[in-house]
Amino acid sequence: MEELITVLGEIKALFNRSLGELSIDCVVFGFHDDQLKVLLLRAKGTDAWSLPGGWIFKTEHLEDAAYRILKERTGLDSIFLQQFHTFGANNRYNGKEIMARLGLPTEHNFFPERAVSIGYYALVEYSLVEPKMDYMTEECRWWDVNEIPELLFDHNEIAARALKALRKQFDNEALGFNLLPEKFTLIELQRLYETILGLEKNKLDRRNFQKKILSYGFLERLEERKTGGAHKAPYLYRFDPEKYATYQHENEV
Amino acid sequence: MEELITVLGEIKALFNRSLGELSIDCVVFGFHDDQLKVLLLRAKGTDAWSLPGGWIFKTEHLEDAAYRILKERTGLDSIFLQQFHTFGANNRYNGKEIMARLGLPTEHNFFPERAVSIGYYALVEYSLVEPKMDYMTEECRWWDVNEIPELLFDHNEIAARALKALRKQFDNEALGFNLLPEKFTLIELQRLYETILGLEKNKLDRRNFQKKILSYGFLERLEERKTGGAHKAPYLYRFDPEKYATYQHENEV
């Protein structure tokens, strides 16, 4: 009971500092073992999963809030955080239902009658993540994108739309280098693309893929080759962050 | 003075019905005479131009609000309205400065301390627009995208980003058929693309362009040909809205 009062007090204090009608939800993607994963949180003492998210302080820039929330909830200084859509259905959630689902007293419903949520997605290197708990969270772990459970609020819709946006951006642009080790082969890069795009192995034409990816101009071929494979050792590449930044700047929307 | 009291009263009533921290701004693009135009409003008795925009009613779905605002301000039932970015800098405007610029008494500043604005862009057929005035607006007219004046708030940034998003979407997807007459030649379609993308005439390779655009599968070649030109009469095409809807659904983000 004392714990509950502390939780409600912290939430109230947070609300008083924040814009009341707006929230941020983050869809954090990680790549591991040829699988695309998404980071989900489970609320204390419940089986209710949701996306990491939070509120925007009254004087805080929207982008700053997104980075802060991602860091608070996941310990990550994200390399890549992309706003993709704002969710504003007038029936996104029922505050009292969510309170009940969280095992909290419904008469203390702290959710505003309505909140519009701004969706961001992040791409992170799986191994760097140190999920952080807070006073509401008991578990924070990776789920395969194909096995996302039923989430609170409209978070299943937000996650689905983030995946679509990510795939579209991968298809049209250069992305994803922060999901790979520092040095990688073009085959490894192709495998990443195929996984993100939900394609079978070797579905992308190798020659076209390599031509396209090299045409962006920010991949640097190293003198080193990758050893240990059955075939002729392929060259290793790394990406040039400066040229990448220039490219991103020229192509950002 | 009486008029001013009426205006302030109407604004106050509107605010009471609306979410206080959120607004919508619309960048309305029209195509005419190989020029890309954008619709701007001038506030009564001033030389202050801005994008058409408005507030979201407390119980209104975000998308519904965007369509309503576009209709109220421009008389348009938009065929294509696309959310492209949410603008949340904490210094987007200074309410008192805007009041002064609008010739309104700064002690009655009705702007919230801060509002986050959700940006939509629309594509419309130039000839169908019947700009509508409201109690704040004296003039509503088309400006060439290359000649946009200094706008109120952060509307220059919003307009610039909408143009980037539009160009990107044109480059990656099929769009723009609602900017053309019902029947058109592929050359006319190419000219539209070149204008939107800010390219010189015939900069796109004709053969590649036609191959790409036909591959989407929703253009129907008619038996008719366009007559009157110096060259062999080209075929007329029209687009199939059903197949277009299917395509959009499969490719939407």
Side-chain angles (χ1 to χ4, degrees):
Chain A
M1 188 60 194
E2 203 172 313
E3 194 189 3
L4 182 62
I5 290 168
T6 310
V7 167
L8 291 172
E10 290 200 44
I11 291 169
K12 203 177 162 196
L14 182 63
F15 263 67
N16 288 340
R17 291 180 64 192
S18 305
L19 297 175
E21 299 162 349
L22 272 170
S23 64
I24 286 177
D25 285 304
C26 298
V27 184
V28 184
F29 292 110
F31 178 71
H32 187 64
D33 241 358
D34 289 354
Q35 283 192 307
L36 186 64
K37 308 266 194 182
V38 63
L39 200 64
L40 299 177
L41 311 180
R42 184 167 59 76
K44 253 183 200 163
T46 74
D47 59 355
W49 291 87
S50 65
L51 295 170
W55 305 92
I56 303 153
F57 296 150
K58 281 178 180 162
T59 57
E60 188 177 37
H61 193 297
L62 180 58
E63 304 287 316
D64 293 341
Y67 279 102
R68 174 182 56 77
I69 288 165
L70 190 70
K71 182 156 176 97
E72 283 173 4
R73 294 297 189 106
T74 67
L76 292 168
D77 283 305
S78 174
I79 302 167
F80 182 86
L81 191 61
Q82 173 85 35
Q83 190 196 111
F84 67 96
H85 193 74
T86 294
F87 296 84
N90 49 8
N91 56 355
R92 289 187 53 239
Y93 63 81
N94 175 315
K96 287 199 170 184
E97 275 176 30
I98 301 277
M99 290 293 285
R101 191 91 172 72
L102 294 174
L104 294 170
T106 55
E107 68 272 23
H108 289 295
N109 173 25
F110 51 71
F111 290 97
E113 265 192 55
R114 181 177 179 191
V116 169
S117 189
I118 302 159
Y120 283 81
Y121 70 79
L123 289 180
V124 301
E125 199 180 312
Y126 191 92
S127 63
L128 295 180
V129 178
E130 292 170 27
K132 277 191 187 166
M133 302 301 120
D134 67 3
Y135 52 88
M136 286 285 286
T137 308
E138 185 168 310
E139 192 182 357
C140 179
R141 72 170 173 89
W142 293 101
W143 289 70
D144 192 287
V145 287
N146 300 311
E147 291 163 11
I148 296 174
E150 193 188 324
L151 304 176
L152 293 178
F153 312 98
D154 55 352
H155 286 190
N156 287 88
E157 184 195 341
I158 294 178
R161 200 150 177 153
L163 183 59
K164 260 190 168 177
L166 172 70
R167 286 183 169 159
K168 193 165 182 173
Q169 204 153 5
F170 254 78
D171 213 16
N172 295 327
E173 286 178 45
L175 271 186
F177 296 100
N178 39 339
L179 296 176
L180 288 172
E182 194 198 340
K183 301 170 185 179
F184 48 84
T185 67
L186 292 184
I187 292 291
E188 286 168 343
L189 185 59
Q190 177 172 340
R191 195 70 204 105
L192 168 66
Y193 268 68
E194 286 164 344
T195 303
I196 303 276
L197 297 175
L199 301 173
E200 281 168 42
K201 214 163 170 171
N202 298 320
K203 186 80 185 171
L204 292 173
D205 179 76
R206 190 167 60 87
R207 190 179 305 218
N208 283 342
F209 176 77
Q210 299 193 355
K211 194 174 150 191
K212 184 178 168 185
I213 211 82
L214 292 174
S215 75
Y216 294 134
F218 47 67
L219 281 191
E220 182 192 358
R221 195 175 85 176
L222 305 172
E223 291 305 311
E224 273 173 273
R225 288 165 186 263
K226 173 142 184 158
T227 51
H231 301 283
K232 184 165 175 283
Y235 278 107
L236 285 167
Y237 288 76
R238 74 169 158 222
F239 94 102
D240 183 323
E242 269 183 43
K243 287 183 184 162
Y244 190 50
T246 308
Y247 174 87
Q248 279 194 309
H249 180 72
E250 284 169 2
N251 289 275
E252 102 185 304
V253 164
Chain B
M1 188 57 196
E2 204 173 313
E3 194 189 5
L4 182 62
I5 290 168
T6 310
V7 167
L8 291 172
E10 290 200 44
I11 291 169
K12 204 178 161 197
L14 181 63
F15 264 67
N16 287 340
R17 292 181 63 193
S18 306
L19 297 175
E21 299 163 350
L22 273 169
S23 64
I24 286 177
D25 285 303
C26 298
V27 185
V28 184
F29 292 110
F31 178 72
H32 187 65
D33 241 358
D34 289 355
Q35 283 193 309
L36 186 64
K37 308 266 195 180
V38 63
L39 200 64
L40 299 177
L41 311 181
R42 183 168 59 77
K44 255 183 198 162
T46 75
D47 59 353
W49 291 88
S50 65
L51 296 170
W55 306 91
I56 303 153
F57 296 150
K58 280 177 182 164
T59 57
E60 188 178 35
H61 193 298
L62 181 58
E63 304 288 315
D64 293 342
Y67 279 102
R68 174 182 56 77
I69 288 164
L70 190 69
K71 184 158 174 94
E72 282 173 5
R73 292 297 188 107
T74 66
L76 291 168
D77 282 305
S78 175
I79 301 168
F80 183 86
L81 191 60
Q82 173 85 35
Q83 191 196 109
F84 67 96
H85 193 73
T86 294
F87 296 84
N90 48 9
N91 56 355
R92 289 187 53 237
Y93 62 81
N94 175 316
K96 286 198 171 186
E97 275 176 29
I98 300 276
M99 289 294 284
R101 191 91 172 72
L102 294 174
L104 294 171
T106 55
E107 68 272 23
H108 289 295
N109 173 25
F110 51 73
F111 289 97
E113 264 191 55
R114 181 179 179 190
V116 169
S117 190
I118 302 160
Y120 283 82
Y121 70 81
L123 289 180
V124 300
E125 199 179 311
Y126 192 90
S127 62
L128 294 180
V129 179
E130 291 170 29
K132 277 190 186 166
M133 303 301 120
D134 67 3
Y135 52 88
M136 288 284 286
T137 309
E138 185 168 308
E139 191 181 0
C140 179
R141 72 170 172 88
W142 293 102
W143 289 71
D144 193 286
V145 288
N146 300 311
E147 292 164 11
I148 296 175
E150 193 187 326
L151 304 177
L152 293 178
F153 312 98
D154 55 353
H155 285 189
N156 286 91
E157 184 195 342
I158 294 178
R161 198 147 177 155
L163 183 59
K164 260 191 169 179
L166 172 70
R167 286 183 168 159
K168 193 164 182 173
Q169 203 152 8
F170 254 78
D171 214 15
N172 294 328
E173 287 178 44
L175 271 186
F177 297 100
N178 40 337
L179 296 176
L180 289 171
E182 194 199 341
K183 301 170 184 179
F184 48 83
T185 68
L186 293 183
I187 292 292
E188 286 168 343
L189 186 59
Q190 177 173 342
R191 196 69 205 107
L192 167 67
Y193 269 67
E194 286 164 345
T195 303
I196 303 277
L197 297 173
L199 301 172
E200 281 168 43
K201 213 164 171 170
N202 299 321
K203 187 79 184 171
L204 293 173
D205 180 75
R206 190 167 58 89
R207 190 178 307 218
N208 284 343
F209 175 77
Q210 298 193 355
K211 195 174 149 191
K212 184 177 169 188
I213 211 82
L214 292 174
S215 75
Y216 294 134
F218 47 67
L219 281 191
E220 182 192 358
R221 196 175 84 177
L222 305 172
E223 290 307 310
E224 275 173 90
R225 289 164 183 264
K226 173 141 184 161
T227 53
H231 302 285
K232 184 165 173 284
Y235 278 107
L236 285 167
Y237 288 76
R238 76 170 158 221
F239 95 102
D240 182 323
E242 270 183 43
K243 287 183 184 163
Y244 190 49
T246 308
Y247 173 88
Q248 278 193 309
H249 181 72
E250 285 168 1
N251 289 276
E252 106 187 298
V253 163

